[in-house]
């Protein structure tokens, strides 16, 4: 019965999605809302949702390429857990191959508004290299590049680049270990 209810939830969000045209299509086992005027691209074997994780039956993921120039790319073999948010309002978000993304992860390429009224928001691309693990509730903000084979600890707020083969943690995230 749970599987039928979940399939109906997935179909509901597919119907609600305003973004119908993108390259490739992920395997979806938890609802995902696709929105925006930009492009959302998937390589092979990208999955959304993980049954044994929180928010599987209650949450949904949000993927939005807001402007015509916005691009969000998911590399081959990426696994996106439940209730994640990816919003591009600017130059884009690129996620490499074989990345593991925990529940409630948030990735933005824009501030979405200035600090003062009518100020233009800052927008910078986000690049996440291959084989990166991002823990639950991590936040990755505009302009960040995460090097390959790195780990972002749960709850981290990443505001600057992360070198390859590193573990970062905290708010703001700092290197806590280098991987060999």
């Amino acid at each position: 019965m749970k599987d039928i209810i979940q399939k109906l939830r997935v179909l509901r969000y597919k119907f609600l999605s305003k973004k119908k045209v993108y390259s490739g299509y992920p395997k979806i086992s938890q609802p995902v809302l696709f929105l925006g005027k930009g492009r959302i691209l998937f390589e092979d074997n990208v999955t959304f949702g993980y049954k044994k994780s929180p928010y599987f039956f209650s949450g949904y993921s949000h993927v939005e390429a807001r402007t015509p120039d916005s691009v969000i790319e998911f590399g081959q073999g990426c696994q996106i857990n439940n209730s994640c948010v990816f919003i591009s309002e600017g130059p884009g978000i690129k996620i490499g191959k074989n990345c593991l993304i925990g529940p409630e992860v948030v990735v933005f390429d824009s501030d979405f508004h200035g600090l003062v009224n009518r100020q233009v928001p800052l927008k910078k691309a986000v690049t996440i290299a291959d084989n990166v693990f991002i823990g639950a509730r991590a936040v990755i903000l505009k302009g960040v590049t995460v090097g390959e084979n790195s780990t972002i600890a749960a709850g981290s707020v990443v505001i600057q680049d992360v070198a390859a083969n590193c573990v970062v943690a905290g708010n703001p995230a700092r290197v806590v270990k280098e991987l060999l």
Side-chain angles (χ1 to χ4, degrees):
M1 183 58 127
K2 288 180 182 179
D3 289 338
I4 292 170
I5 291 170
Q6 188 68 344
K7 286 179 183 179
L8 290 172
R9 290 182 68 235
V10 169
L11 284 173
R12 177 179 178 219
Y13 277 79
K14 188 173 183 178
F15 177 76
L16 291 172
S17 291
K18 303 249 190 266
K19 183 75 188 149
K20 300 293 183 194
V21 180
Y22 31 83
S23 172
Y25 197 78
K27 178 184 177 215
I28 296 176
S29 58
Q30 194 217 21
V32 182
L33 189 60
F34 297 109
L35 299 171
K37 298 175 183 175
R39 295 179 295 145
I40 302 169
L41 311 171
F42 298 98
E43 291 184 13
D44 294 335
N45 300 318
V46 175
T47 61
F48 276 88
Y50 186 66
K51 192 172 189 172
K52 296 180 181 181
S53 193
Y55 317 110
F56 183 71
F57 291 108
S58 59
Y60 75 96
S61 288
H62 183 103
V63 181
E64 184 174 0
R66 285 192 177 165
T67 66
D69 295 332
S70 300
V71 178
I72 301 175
E73 299 177 56
F74 294 90
Q76 181 177 359
C78 284
Q79 296 179 19
I80 298 97
N81 207 305
N82 306 326
S83 299
C84 294
V85 177
F86 304 89
I87 301 177
S88 172
E89 190 176 73
I93 298 167
K94 182 173 181 160
I95 299 168
K97 297 177 181 178
N98 302 312
C99 291
L100 300 175
I101 300 174
E104 294 190 308
V105 167
V106 174
V107 182
F108 295 146
D109 73 350
S110 173
D111 286 338
F112 304 111
H113 58 79
L115 294 176
V116 180
N117 288 342
R118 293 184 218 123
Q119 186 179 24
V120 176
L122 297 174
K123 302 173 189 180
K124 293 181 181 175
V126 173
T127 303
I128 299 169
D130 297 344
N131 305 310
V132 171
F133 173 77
I134 304 171
R137 295 188 176 164
V139 177
I140 299 175
L141 298 176
K142 70 180 182 316
V144 168
T145 296
V146 178
E148 64 184 21
N149 306 314
S150 289
T151 298
I152 311 297
S156 297
V157 178
V158 184
I159 61 171
Q160 60 189 15
D161 291 351
V162 176
N165 304 304
C166 286
V167 177
V168 298
N171 181 2
R174 304 237 188 272
V175 175
V176 295
K177 183 176 183 178
E178 292 185 20
L179 305 171
L180 300 175

